[in-house]
Amino acid sequence: MSAYITATGSFLPGYPVTNDEIEDYIGKAGNASADLKDLVLANCGIKTRHYAIDKSQRTVVSNTAMAAAAVRNAAERAGLGPDEVEMLCAATTMPDVLGPGHASMVHGELGYGPLEIATAHGICSCGMMALKNAYLQVAIGEKRNAICVASELASRGFKSTRYEGLEAIADDGSLPMETAFLRYMLSDGAGAVVVESAPATSGISLRIDWISLTSYANTEKACMFFGSNSNTCATTWGDYPSVSAAAADGAFVLRQKLSLLPHLVRVGIDEYERLLAMGKFDPETVTWFPAHYSSERMKAMMLGEFRRRGVAAGGTEAWYSNLTRVGNVGSAAIFVILDEMVTEGLIKDGDTLLCMVPESGRFVVSFMHLTAVSAAAVSDVKP
């Protein structure tokens, strides 16, 4: 059997926030200089992003509500009613609550009828983990349809009040670079896809040919981490005598070990070459390479490494991202990218797509191969 993405949806909160407005929302933390902000923004290439908090640093829309909005958007386009969805897979990095699971909370927000749920937790790759679950359930005939959603609400973790009294602030009042730069990088949003056992009766559907997800956590300590103030994660937030003690010691500050980032480029292209050697795809026939990368600089490093190795990876124009316009929305990014490509009519019948989602958390690399099909071109059209 086959599985098809028959509809996409997304939700980006509020209006696009320009670079000059960032600190109007998240405030200033420590003695972060304008030079640091300008350097980070120049490297990441982001011009606008979206925040689910307002200028008083109050949450305007929850992570759960953003995910539900994206699901409704996709379900409406697919023509699925609230009692027709058979499975909901939901992914996020930092859910609204530690428990119940994110999928439970999203289901409750939606008010849909009883259905199977699955929560995937991680950083950027958890959206692909959730999608693979949905894809396989539909492909083997366990479910006729499933909706997969990924959402992120990073901004509330970066608001300036979270850094007050932080023992990890240096003597000069500055934040460690490993956390300061992330405040200008990450943003909020949600994206969803509907997966069904047959293509839509009109328009373009995306047949899921395969999804590959590989962890390289055995090669390094954590690169991006939350819940500990060290990438060894030897002491985590739950090991402190109190939550306030963990917060004061910086355990709730999201961090990135910048020195390890080049390793993500290396393992990402290693994985690309591994799949290429297996004959999973032909780069010469791939139409689009939709890719989630954290910055334009990372894209340049990645394409440079392809050239250095002499590995075919399509032309630069084939690598598609909306990072500069919507910001870095982590696990939701690949879904928001696909939604934009579909709604803008960029994908034509017969196009092939190789989606790439690398995660710097502890080095997970995922790829997905899609083939665009029209209802007229497929014999097993839905009744």
Side-chain angles (χ1 to χ4, degrees):
M1 295 183 68
S2 297
Y4 301 81
I5 294 174
T6 58
T8 60
S10 62
F11 179 83
L12 298 172
Y15 296 100
V17 175
T18 66
N19 291 345
D20 292 338
E21 298 175 292
I22 292 175
E23 289 175 340
D24 292 342
Y25 287 83
I26 63 174
K28 295 183 179 181
N31 290 335
S33 69
D35 289 344
L36 169 61
K37 175 185 171 184
D38 291 344
L39 176 64
V40 172
L41 292 172
N43 280 322
C44 73
I46 299 171
K47 304 300 181 186
T48 56
R49 77 281 297 140
H50 293 259
Y51 289 140
I53 61 173
D54 63 18
K55 292 183 179 182
S56 297
Q57 300 190 352
R58 296 171 301 196
T59 301
V60 176
V61 55
S62 69
N63 193 340
T64 300
M66 287 194 293
V71 169
R72 291 189 187 102
N73 186 205
E76 181 179 350
R77 290 174 177 172
L80 289 175
D83 296 322
E84 296 177 306
V85 179
E86 298 188 1
M87 183 175 192
L88 174 67
C89 297
T92 191
T93 302
M94 290 181 278
D96 293 324
V97 293
L98 296 178
H102 189 49
S104 288
M105 299 303 290
V106 176
H107 181 209
E109 180 78 13
L110 288 165
Y112 285 6
L115 45 71
E116 183 172 340
I117 60 170
T119 295
H121 174 67
I123 303 182
C124 297
S125 67
C126 63
M128 292 292 277
M129 295 175 190
L131 181 54
K132 187 163 187 177
N133 191 336
Y135 152 60
L136 291 177
Q137 291 255 20
V138 172
I140 66 171
E142 179 71 17
K143 297 287 186 292
R144 289 176 300 175
N145 67 64
I147 298 184
C148 178
V149 62
S151 58
E152 300 289 5
L153 207 172
S155 63
R156 62 184 171 191
F158 293 134
K159 54 193 179 185
S160 56
T161 53
R162 292 292 186 93
Y163 299 86
E164 294 173 358
L166 190 66
E167 295 172 6
I169 293 180
D171 292 338
D172 65 357
S174 62
L175 291 179
M177 180 62 173
E178 63 186 19
T179 190
F181 94 103
L182 284 172
R183 299 185 74 239
Y184 306 117
M185 293 280 289
L186 304 181
S187 54
D188 308 333
V193 296
V194 174
V195 181
E196 298 189 78
S197 56
T201 54
S202 63
I204 293 292
S205 296
L206 301 173
R207 187 182 70 230
I208 303 175
D209 299 315
W210 52 263
I211 298 176
S212 171
L213 192 146
T214 306
S215 168
Y216 287 86
N218 60 307
T219 63
E220 294 280 1
K221 300 298 183 185
C223 176
M224 189 173 184
F225 52 100
F226 179 77
S228 178
N229 64 7
S230 166
N231 77 325
T232 64
C233 299
T235 300
T236 69
W237 68 274
D239 299 320
Y240 289 84
S242 65
V243 172
S244 58
D249 200 34
F252 290 113
V253 173
L254 183 64
R255 303 166 188 266
Q256 181 129 54
K257 206 73 172 175
L258 296 174
S259 61
L260 297 180
L261 275 178
H263 181 63
L264 179 62
V265 174
R266 185 166 65 253
V267 298
I269 299 179
D270 285 348
E271 181 66 6
Y272 179 98
E273 287 194 280
R274 185 183 75 85
L275 295 171
L276 180 60
M278 292 173 61
K280 300 287 284 184
F281 65 95
D282 179 358
E284 300 299 331
T285 62
V286 173
T287 313
W288 294 102
F289 292 83
H292 165 56
Y293 41 80
S294 60
S295 69
E296 290 292 301
R297 177 167 173 76
M298 283 293 290
K299 175 185 178 182
M301 291 172 61
M302 182 176 64
L303 295 178
E305 182 66 9
F306 276 122
R307 289 191 294 270
R308 190 189 69 79
R309 297 191 190 190
V311 178
T316 304
E317 68 284 351
W319 286 80
Y320 190 90
S321 171
N322 50 19
L323 173 75
T324 60
R325 299 186 301 281
V326 306
N328 182 347
V329 285
S331 64
I334 195 65
F335 299 95
V336 176
I337 288 170
L338 288 174
D339 182 51
E340 180 174 292
M341 295 183 75
V342 169
T343 57
E344 292 293 325
L346 299 179
I347 303 172
K348 309 299 182 184
D349 185 28
D351 284 356
T352 56
L353 297 80
L354 183 66
C355 303
M356 179 182 187
V357 181
E359 178 190 300
S360 62
R362 199 162 177 176
F363 306 112
V364 181
V365 183
S366 52
F367 286 92
M368 172 171 62
H369 194 277
L370 306 171
T371 300
V373 297
S374 64
V378 181
S379 59
D380 57 339
V381 179
K382 294 185 295 184

